[in-house]
Amino acid sequence: MQTLLSHRRRLAALAASVFALAVQDADAAHVSRLTPPSELFATGEADPVIARFLPGQLFDLQATVQPDAGQAVVNFAFYVDGSPVTNRNADTMARTSIVTETGPADTCIAEGETTGASGCKLIGGLPANAAVISQRAFSKSSPGVHTFKIVAAQGNGVLISATGNFEIVGVDRGGHVAKNIIILLGDGMGAAHRTAGRILAKGYAQGKAKGRLAMDTFPYGGMVMTASLNSIVTDSAPGMQNYVTGNKANNNQEGVFPDDTLDPFDNPRVEYLSEYLHTLQGKSLGVVTTADVFDATPAANAVHTSARGNGTGIVDQFLDDRSLTGLTVLMGGGRKWFLPNASNSVSPQPANGSQRRTANDYVLPDDVVNGWGAAPGALDPERDLIGDFQAAGYSYAPDKTALDRLFQGRTPSKLLGLFAYSNMNVSYDKINGRRGDSAVVDAFGFPDQPMLDEMADRALQVLSKNPHGFVAMIEGASIDKQAHLMDSDRWVLEVIEFDRAVAVAKAFAEDHPDTLVIVTADHECSGAALIGASSLTAADREADPASGKSAVGTYDAAGFPKYAIEDDGYPETTNIDHRLLIGYGANADRYETWLPSTFPTKDTQQPFPPAESPVDPNVRNEGVGYAISGQVPGDQAVHTATDIPLSTFGRGANLFHGVFDNADVFFMLGQAAVGGTD
Ligand SMILES: [Zn+2]
């Protein structure tokens, strides 16, 4: 069992100049990972450059070193362009660490040092003497491609080194800058989802759309390649964070690069757009979602973790690191993470619905705290996080009525809204509730939830109080969640709800011309395909829910489905005679009835899911509908690798055109916010 190195003393004892003369990547094979990721390290090829940053954007340097058997790393230094990294100020020592520990938490204390309150970082699948070496919170300002090198010394004096590269992307100064940035993220929203929303909400006549979605009216845009660091098929964590860090993360990871330790909160970090612009310009951050606020898309704007499921730590970090991110508005579902859980148990379920527990909470190692100025965190399932938000000056709304009351005669300076235990109800059910059929929202226990456009309007009122501007991320989360469930009626209405929020943002940008609005998705979900329209009436489909293929009118027979739209902006019913029919190319098994489900399919994240909800979509309507074999295992449709559309409006919108990578979007946002456009 190795002990933690007393690296500070040893670093001080060995002059960096010794390393400056280090051999040419001697024993590079002893470095199994070098961060930030590069092809130069992985394959020896200098192109393409993988990691790119804006000038001054913070990121961590890290290397996993595997010394010879019986040896340990006793010293190290990182070099950039041949010069030792001394960091931005004198406390370099506090920003570095070597972790070699492989034992349980109580064995990592050595020579009066600890790895911090979080204890040891177990290194997965590596030899016991492997070392994870970190230099936290580095940045570089000069544009261009830079090389970086780790040099580590074994106890016997043998040096180990390896080289990678990264790029600093310059900003052209002197243009008109976008003071406010609004990112509208339709989770899982591919081209088919947008088209379906338009067909339902606007209708077609003789081949022409009778109206346009708000997002259709945006003058610029392009197609986005959505791959993550480790797959052509991304999940929502890197799908979001790639836009707002400029870098690729692995699936499940938010604001970090992968590493070789098991602690989900110690990964090498990369600074978010929110953090970068809060430091540089004093901007505020607003995060608004219809999901649980711990969910991947909202968290991947402010929280750094390699495990998107660590709800307690994620919501704590939203508040604890508000001074880094400028978090000013947080709205969505997810109250279950904010309520105290004195027992630290979720089985049996606490009566208040809390799911806080130490197992998914966070404590940061010292070098992260010192390097990033982050809060250290604590394992505190008993924390009253709503109370802590209120003590920090956030006005709190548990429902729409309370939200509206907060804005009577004033505008709050900071706002927290938590409108459900976990994910909010979808618009299909919220609208039914507002029209008098409240069975679903009542069964969830939250009959008074705001719509996304109403939340967006309130968020922009609060955020626009900051004269330095803001970054807002507004997510239509259940386009994705209902596409996973292959519930066509519910995700199409989610697109309509999302587009109403787009209209709110567009109107704001028309009133505030120094605002950039982008509408996009993180990835496509379900391989949705608009295959035609029903050749059967609603009554005939109800009489024969297993009608299957015989109900599908294709080509000429599809014609133009015509939905009646009520004053609230949503279809009177989706179950019209000649309704749009939707197939799935990335589906699990399902039983298709071509009919709406009265209750949404069970949401396993709800602490108290309604008994009426059907279980998994692969068995929903079993014995009733037409059996369709899926191409993917499991019980849900999956994300696909298909490019997705992106549309832009307002100041800097013209920077976005053509086909680009999701990480490229970050640099367009940076240009708009820092350098500006004509
Ligand atoms: Zn998804």
Side-chain angles (χ1 to χ4, degrees):
M1 192 125 331
Q2 299 294 311
T3 56
L4 182 80
L5 294 168
S6 180
H7 58 272
R8 297 180 191 184
R9 200 159 50 245
R10 285 171 179 153
L11 263 180
L14 192 58
S17 59
V18 173
F19 282 167
L21 303 173
V23 288
Q24 296 290 324
D25 289 2
D27 283 327
H30 284 43
V31 179
S32 55
R33 186 193 298 275
L34 187 63
T35 301
S38 67
E39 278 294 287
L40 183 59
F41 170 72
T43 68
E45 301 289 333
D47 285 317
V49 176
I50 305 299
R52 303 163 78 218
F53 307 94
L54 283 172
Q57 185 186 2
L58 299 175
F59 60 100
D60 290 339
L61 303 170
Q62 192 174 80
T64 301
V65 177
Q66 300 188 33
D68 292 323
Q71 293 294 316
V73 173
V74 296
N75 198 358
F76 70 89
F78 285 95
Y79 295 81
V80 171
D81 300 335
S83 299
V85 173
T86 54
N87 225 303
R88 295 167 301 160
N89 50 39
D91 64 342
T92 297
M93 297 303 171
R95 296 163 181 266
T96 61
S97 66
I98 302 178
V99 179
T100 60
E101 194 51 53
T102 58
D106 60 356
T107 66
C108 67
I109 298 169
E111 300 179 283
E113 291 197 29
T114 76
T115 58
S118 58
C120 293
K121 314 300 179 297
L122 304 178
I123 300 171
L126 292 173
N129 64 340
V132 174
I133 301 172
S134 302
Q135 173 76 48
R136 302 289 181 177
F138 175 76
S139 68
K140 187 99 181 140
S141 294
S142 47
V145 176
H146 303 275
T147 59
F148 71 108
K149 175 185 272 197
I150 175 67
V151 180
Q154 298 186 169
N156 62 1
V158 170
L159 298 182
I160 295 168
S161 66
T163 300
N165 64 7
F166 63 84
E167 183 178 1
I168 302 297
V169 178
V171 173
D172 295 330
R173 305 275 175 166
H176 297 95
V177 298
K179 187 176 88 173
N180 309 311
I181 293 175
I182 304 174
I183 303 170
L184 290 130
L185 200 295
D187 205 299
M189 186 178 71
H193 302 79
R194 290 175 66 147
T195 309
R198 186 190 313 120
I199 290 171
L200 260 76
K202 306 299 176 184
Y204 281 61
Q206 300 192 59
K208 297 240 176 166
K210 293 168 73 177
R212 299 295 163 94
L213 297 174
M215 62 182 113
D216 293 336
T217 67
F218 282 29
Y220 296 97
M223 295 289 285
V224 183
M225 300 180 274
T226 64
S228 65
L229 183 62
N230 67 329
S231 176
I232 54 170
V233 183
T234 188
D235 73 38
S236 290
M240 179 77 235
Q241 83 101 50
N242 296 357
Y243 286 133
V244 289
T245 66
N247 284 272
K248 301 275 185 173
N250 276 4
N251 287 348
N252 297 311
Q253 304 194 341
E254 301 161 349
V256 296
F257 293 111
D259 71 2
D260 291 303
T261 75
L262 300 183
D263 181 342
F265 288 100
D266 76 342
N267 285 60
R269 289 183 169 204
V270 54
E271 196 171 34
Y272 282 118
L273 182 73
S274 60
E275 297 169 310
Y276 183 75
L277 293 179
H278 180 65
T279 300
L280 199 65
Q281 301 178 332
K283 293 197 192 309
S284 300
L285 171 65
V287 174
V288 179
T289 179
T290 51
D292 188 318
V293 296
F294 98 107
D295 210 20
T297 305
N301 286 274
V303 173
H304 299 270
T305 180
S306 62
R308 56 177 280 181
N310 281 305
T312 309
I314 286 168
V315 295
D316 282 359
Q317 215 171 76
F318 266 127
L319 178 67
D320 295 345
D321 282 343
R322 63 191 181 281
S323 66
L324 300 181
T325 62
L327 183 79
T328 302
V329 173
L330 181 63
M331 272 195 284
R335 200 185 301 169
K336 69 181 187 180
W337 304 113
F338 291 69
L339 301 167
N341 183 2
S343 72
N344 189 35
S345 171
V346 292
S347 182
Q349 179 66 50
N352 68 355
S354 177
Q355 293 195 350
R356 288 183 65 86
R357 56 195 188 278
T358 56
N360 56 33
D361 206 345
Y362 87 106
V363 175
L364 299 183
D366 289 346
D367 61 330
V368 175
V369 173
N370 293 330
W372 288 82
L379 304 180
D380 48 7
E382 71 285 356
R383 186 177 190 180
D384 170 13
L385 190 58
I386 293 173
D388 284 358
F389 263 89
Q390 290 174 308
Y394 294 76
S395 299
Y396 172 60
D399 55 35
K400 180 180 184 298
T401 301
L403 180 64
D404 292 342
R405 200 182 303 125
L406 290 177
F407 286 79
Q408 283 173 2
R410 69 190 189 107
T411 301
S413 296
K414 296 180 180 178
L415 179 60
L416 173 70
L418 299 171
F419 307 111
Y421 283 124
S422 181
N423 302 309
M424 293 173 65
N425 279 119
V426 297
S427 51
Y428 185 96
D429 300 311
K430 288 187 292 189
I431 286 297
N432 275 341
R434 291 187 179 195
R435 291 175 180 173
D437 176 7
S438 61
V440 172
V441 289
D442 286 348
F444 273 80
F446 297 93
D448 184 23
Q449 300 168 61
M451 307 299 291
L452 184 61
D453 47 316
E454 295 162 349
M455 294 195 292
D457 178 55
R458 295 308 193 190
L460 295 177
Q461 287 181 50
V462 174
L463 293 167
S464 59
K465 291 175 78 171
N466 184 347
H468 305 296
F470 61 83
V471 176
M473 194 292 298
I474 300 168
E475 183 198 21
S478 289
I479 301 168
D480 177 77
K481 295 182 192 302
Q482 295 298 322
H484 276 293
L485 300 175
M486 299 170 284
D487 188 328
S488 307
D489 298 86
R490 283 186 171 77
W491 69 245
V492 178
L493 261 65
E494 288 300 283
V495 176
I496 295 172
E497 181 188 33
F498 176 71
D499 192 62
R500 291 172 63 82
V502 173
V504 168
K506 183 186 178 189
F508 180 89
E510 286 169 337
D511 288 345
H512 302 80
D514 49 2
T515 301
L516 169 63
V517 185
I518 80 169
V519 175
T520 189
D522 42 2
H523 51 73
E524 198 276 346
C525 182
S526 78
L530 315 186
I531 54 179
S534 175
S535 57
L536 301 179
T537 64
D540 285 347
R541 276 185 272 108
E542 284 162 11
D544 180 15
S547 57
K549 294 178 194 174
S550 64
V552 182
T554 61
Y555 296 103
D556 300 358
F560 301 108
K562 293 196 187 317
Y563 293 81
I565 302 299
E566 296 205 346
D567 289 344
D568 56 25
Y570 295 85
E572 177 185 26
T573 174
T574 56
N575 196 24
I576 62 172
D577 286 346
H578 193 64
R579 73 188 306 231
L580 176 68
L581 296 186
I582 294 169
Y584 297 92
N587 57 311
D589 294 347
R590 76 180 196 278
Y591 296 89
E592 184 57 72
T593 62
W594 307 126
L595 294 167
S597 296
T598 305
F599 261 76
T601 302
K602 186 175 176 180
D603 178 351
T604 56
Q605 296 188 52
Q606 302 291 346
F608 309 112
E612 298 91 333
S613 279
V615 293
D616 299 332
N618 63 331
V619 295
R620 181 184 62 206
N621 298 320
E622 188 171 14
V624 178
Y626 172 77
I628 298 175
S629 294
Q631 299 100 310
V632 302
D635 50 32
Q636 297 195 356
V638 298
H639 301 174
T640 70
T642 310
D643 291 357
I644 49 91
L646 179 145
S647 305
T648 58
F649 180 89
R651 178 72 56 78
N654 56 327
L655 293 168
F656 300 78
H657 49 80
V659 178
F660 40 85
D661 186 71
N662 53 10
D664 294 342
V665 169
F666 176 77
F667 301 96
M668 301 173 197
L669 294 171
Q671 178 62 45
V674 178
T677 54
D678 293 341

